[in-house]
Amino acid sequence: MAELAGLEDPKIRAVNERHGDDHGVNLTKLRAVAKRLKTQQDLARELWATGNSAARLLALLVCRPKAYDRAELDGMLREARTPKVHDWLVGYVVEKSPHAEELRRAWFADPDPVVASAGWALTTDRVAKKPEGLDLPGLLDLIEAHMKDAPDRLQWAMNHCLARIGIEHPEHRARAIAIGERLEVLKDHPTSPGCTSPYAPVWIDEMVRRSSAP
């Protein structure tokens, strides 16, 4: 914890706080600490228990994802209220867990929009990697009906799923683009130079163009 405190940078914290996070540690330096520590599940649990966001991010880098049971992962997600901790927990731990599909189904229907956004994130991962068994037209129906008015974190996750369906599944691409154009979600989102807009029609077109380029 002292080492993490020594890595705190007020400028990084100020940037992160604008995005809802509450840590000021450079993530490259945090990854270097994790690389030195290697996998340590007991330490990961102790770091998570501190409630400190930087410590929790480090915990997610040094843990053993398959060591957590379903209830533990569910509890961790409900405690992970900052975006970066939430995203790393889902992407680095839950996706590698044997409980991922069970949690995807449970979280997808959760009344808490932040928890539901994790269910959508896991669904997006399946859209890209293992779409068999998913009802893609049904997902598009849900997105079309609910994304426009969804809370920010849930809206972002639904939009990512919309874009991924359009990118990965040509048979649904025209409808995915049409939904994005009609709803205009994130159409005016500020995008840094060199980055792709999160507006689904632009995102889909750009990624398809890249994949077809020689």
Side-chain angles (χ1 to χ4, degrees):
M1 294 303 293
E3 184 174 359
L4 291 175
L7 295 175
E8 178 80 15
D9 183 327
K11 292 181 181 178
I12 292 176
R13 176 176 283 274
V15 172
N16 287 338
E17 285 179 345
R18 290 202 293 271
H19 298 95
D21 287 307
D22 60 355
H23 71 89
V25 176
N26 179 292
L27 297 180
T28 300
K29 293 180 179 179
L30 189 75
R31 292 180 189 279
V33 174
K35 187 175 180 180
R36 188 187 77 234
L37 291 171
K38 298 185 172 62
T39 302
Q40 296 191 47
Q41 182 63 19
D42 289 343
L43 175 62
R45 282 198 165 98
E46 291 177 20
L47 288 168
W48 183 270
T50 67
N52 176 278
S53 286
R56 285 186 161 180
L57 291 171
L58 181 59
L60 298 171
L61 293 174
V62 302
C63 75
R64 193 166 62 253
K66 293 180 181 178
Y68 295 107
D69 63 29
R70 181 194 183 285
E72 195 169 12
L73 290 171
D74 183 72
M76 290 168 71
L77 184 85
R78 294 174 191 281
E79 293 175 7
R81 304 313 290 183
T82 62
K84 185 64 69 175
V85 173
H86 174 103
D87 291 347
W88 281 23
L89 174 62
V90 174
Y92 294 170
V93 181
V94 179
E95 283 183 10
K96 300 174 183 176
S97 164
H99 309 290
E101 179 60 17
E102 187 180 358
L103 288 169
R104 182 189 76 82
R105 293 173 181 272
W107 291 342
F108 191 85
D110 198 278
D112 182 331
V114 176
V115 175
S117 74
W120 276 91
L122 291 170
T123 300
T124 301
D125 185 62
R126 272 201 58 189
V127 165
K129 298 176 183 176
K130 192 181 177 182
E132 297 80 12
L134 287 179
D135 177 7
L136 298 181
L139 288 174
L140 290 174
D141 289 344
L142 288 172
I143 291 166
E144 190 166 25
H146 301 295
M147 182 172 74
K148 182 76 171 179
D149 298 318
D152 288 350
R153 299 268 290 278
L154 179 55
Q155 184 185 72
W156 186 273
M158 294 174 82
N159 183 71
H160 191 180
C161 189
L162 174 65
R164 190 53 58 187
I165 291 172
I167 293 163
E168 303 289 345
H169 301 278
E171 69 275 21
H172 299 295
R173 186 169 297 151
R175 186 182 175 202
I177 291 173
I179 290 171
E181 288 174 342
R182 186 160 54 256
L183 299 184
E184 297 189 333
V185 167
L186 300 175
K187 184 176 183 179
D188 299 320
H189 189 79
T191 304
S192 302
C195 295
T196 302
S197 169
Y199 176 49
V202 173
W203 189 356
I204 293 167
D205 285 343
E206 175 62 16
M207 296 307 291
V208 171
R209 183 191 66 78
R210 289 184 195 179
S211 67
S212 60

